[in-house]
């Protein structure tokens, strides 16, 4: 469709959002093509990234530079040593960052950005590997690189068919795909993510539950041979609606809730804690993150859980659903 036809279609359409829907449709089409054309070469490249002893350097100009910066940031957040180098700055001294053992990703939708050619040439001379991300695999840049990742060469969605809309989205998407593959090769874990994201919303979600649990004298707990009167007194004093049942070494044996008291009402007089507790209750490790703890509590429909040490049995705290919600954690 020509520019004039697009303009006329937008003018005649009853929906003023037609141009916006058109550009988003081009994005969707590009992403579907990316997903359909993935092959084992991306896995092999991810293995190369995971084994890299140097830095992974991303470079580009224009919108490709923006995509390069984003992919580099995603690599860094997954513990892959990565940096962004603008192609313009590279030509004025920043080439010095490239070392033998590095991997240089040159991003150019056209495959012909002249600013990237000296960068690729220098990288090859110093012993760095080079990777092109482009939609034109026969152009100068990919022909000079060790590896090539192809992105869709389709409609951009721009009214003039020029601005790199869909190709930029496709580039970022293939970068995200490579990120998760490389992270998997490196056995990157949720705990690793927590270490690298101490602040912000992600940091709050991934912080260990041990940082916000009720602990010390605030933990309601009784011995298994305690009377039900002692159980009720402990539950009332700590005001959490439960009490843990432990042995002399604080090994978690069971949990008594308000519901347990009602269910055993007929034997409360003269009964011991061990007779009315729920044995081997659901509990969580102190290193479990807040988001995962909230998901567990929602799944089992409980408001409070005992927290145990890394040995899986020693009681060290209690966590309440409201404590997690007050910290701003929500489930999507």
């Amino acid at each position: 469709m020509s520019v004039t036809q697009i303009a006329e279609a937008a003018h005649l359409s009853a929906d003023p959002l037609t141009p916006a829907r058109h550009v988003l449709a081009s994005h969707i089409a590009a992403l579907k093509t990316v997903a359909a054309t993935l092959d084992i070469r991306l896995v092999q490249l991810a293995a190369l990234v995971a084994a890299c002893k140097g830095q992974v350097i991303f470079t580009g100009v224009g919108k490709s530079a923006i995509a390069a910066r984003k992919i580099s940031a995603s690599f860094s957040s997954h513990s892959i040593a990565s940096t962004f180098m603008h192609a313009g700055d590279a030509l004025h001294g920043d080439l010095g960052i490239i070392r033998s053992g590095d991997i240089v990703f040159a991003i150019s939708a056209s495959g012909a950005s002249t600013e990237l050619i000296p960068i690729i040439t220098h990288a090859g001379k110093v012993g760095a590997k080079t990777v092109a991300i482009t939609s034109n695999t026969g152009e100068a840049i990919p022909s000079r690189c060790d590896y090539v990742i192809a992105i869709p060469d389709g409609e951009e969605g721009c009214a003039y068919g020029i601005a790199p809309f869909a190709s930029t989205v496709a580039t970022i998407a293939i970068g995200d795909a490579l990120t998760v593959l490389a992270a998997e090769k490196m056995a990157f874990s949720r705990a690793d993510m927590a270490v690298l994201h101490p602040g912000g919303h992600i940091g709050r979600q991934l912080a260990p539950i041990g940082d916000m649990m009720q602990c010390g004298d605030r933990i309601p707990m009784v011995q298994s041979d305690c009377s039900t009167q002692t159980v009720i007194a402990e539950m009332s004093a700590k005001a959490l609606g439960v009490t843990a049942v432990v042995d002399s070494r604080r090994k978690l044996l069971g949990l008594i809730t308000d519901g347990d008291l009602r269910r055993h009402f007929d034997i409360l007089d003269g009964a011991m804690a061990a007779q009315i507790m729920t044995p081997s209750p659901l509990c969580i490790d102190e290193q479990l993150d807040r988001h995962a703890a909230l998901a567990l509590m929602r799944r089992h429909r409980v408001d409070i859980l005992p927290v145990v040490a890394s040995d899986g049995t020693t009681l060290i705290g209690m966590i309440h659903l409201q404590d997690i919600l007050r910290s701003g954690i929500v489930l999507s």
Side-chain angles (χ1 to χ4, degrees):
M1 182 180 288
S2 68
V3 174
T4 301
Q5 289 174 319
I6 292 173
E8 288 177 351
H11 178 72
L12 295 173
S13 173
D15 183 2
L17 290 174
T18 294
R21 298 186 197 284
H22 176 71
V23 71
L24 293 179
S26 71
H27 290 179
I28 293 169
L31 291 175
K32 285 183 176 179
T33 302
V34 168
T37 56
L38 291 178
D39 60 36
I40 195 64
R41 286 174 293 183
L42 196 67
V43 177
Q44 294 167 346
L45 188 55
L48 182 72
V49 168
C52 180
K53 300 302 182 184
Q55 291 191 98
V56 182
I57 302 168
F58 288 86
T59 188
V61 292
K63 301 302 182 292
S64 291
I66 295 172
R69 188 186 295 274
K70 191 278 175 190
I71 301 170
S72 177
S74 293
F75 268 41
S76 295
S77 71
H78 287 75
S79 201
I80 302 168
S82 180
T83 190
F84 166 74
M85 175 180 64
H86 194 280
D89 294 331
L91 302 185
H92 295 274
D94 284 5
L95 278 176
I97 196 174
I98 304 174
R99 294 286 188 272
S100 175
D102 291 345
I103 303 174
V104 178
F105 280 79
I107 301 179
S108 171
S110 69
S113 302
T114 56
E115 298 92 337
L116 300 184
I117 294 176
I119 299 172
I120 297 165
T121 302
H122 177 75
K125 288 180 179 178
V126 300
K129 297 293 185 181
T130 53
V131 184
I133 301 180
T134 181
S135 56
N136 290 304
T137 57
E139 285 288 350
I141 293 170
S143 66
R144 288 171 166 79
C145 287
D146 300 310
Y147 306 90
V148 178
I149 300 175
I151 56 175
D153 183 18
E155 186 177 1
E156 289 285 5
C158 164
Y160 307 104
I162 297 174
F165 287 171
S167 60
T168 302
V169 170
T171 298
I172 292 173
I174 201 73
D176 286 345
L178 183 60
T179 300
V180 298
L181 288 174
E184 184 179 71
K185 294 287 185 184
M186 297 170 64
F188 185 79
S189 68
R190 191 179 179 95
D192 295 326
M193 180 72 80
V195 170
L196 299 180
H197 292 78
H201 180 62
I202 293 178
R204 288 194 301 274
Q205 292 189 87
L206 297 181
I209 208 70
D211 291 350
M212 63 186 311
M213 66 184 178
Q214 304 285 343
C215 56
D217 293 338
R218 292 176 294 175
I219 305 174
M221 58 181 171
V222 298
Q223 298 281 312
S224 60
D225 58 354
C226 284
S227 68
T228 53
Q229 287 77 16
T230 302
V231 169
I232 293 171
E234 180 72 358
M235 291 173 66
S236 299
K238 304 299 171 62
L240 290 178
V242 302
T243 186
V245 181
V246 298
D247 66 12
S248 58
R249 296 185 177 182
R250 289 182 66 164
K251 177 182 178 181
L252 181 63
L253 304 175
L255 193 70
I256 300 174
T257 67
D258 288 333
D260 290 319
L261 293 177
R262 290 191 294 272
R263 282 187 290 274
H264 295 92
F265 181 78
D266 58 333
I267 64 166
L268 288 184
D269 286 339
M272 295 186 297
Q275 294 174 270
I276 62 174
M277 72 180 186
T278 298
S280 303
L282 179 68
C283 58
I284 56 177
D285 186 276
E286 62 176 323
Q287 293 303 317
L288 190 71
D289 64 71
R290 297 176 187 180
H291 187 271
L294 178 58
L296 180 68
M297 296 172 86
R298 286 283 175 82
R299 185 164 64 252
H300 290 275
R301 298 183 179 181
V302 295
D303 291 337
I304 191 165
L305 284 175
V307 182
V308 295
S310 57
D311 61 11
T313 60
T314 304
L315 180 70
I316 60 172
M318 288 276 186
I319 186 67
H320 198 284
L321 177 68
Q322 292 303 319
D323 293 328
I324 302 176
L325 295 178
R326 276 193 293 270
S327 70
I329 307 303
V330 295
L331 294 179
S332 56

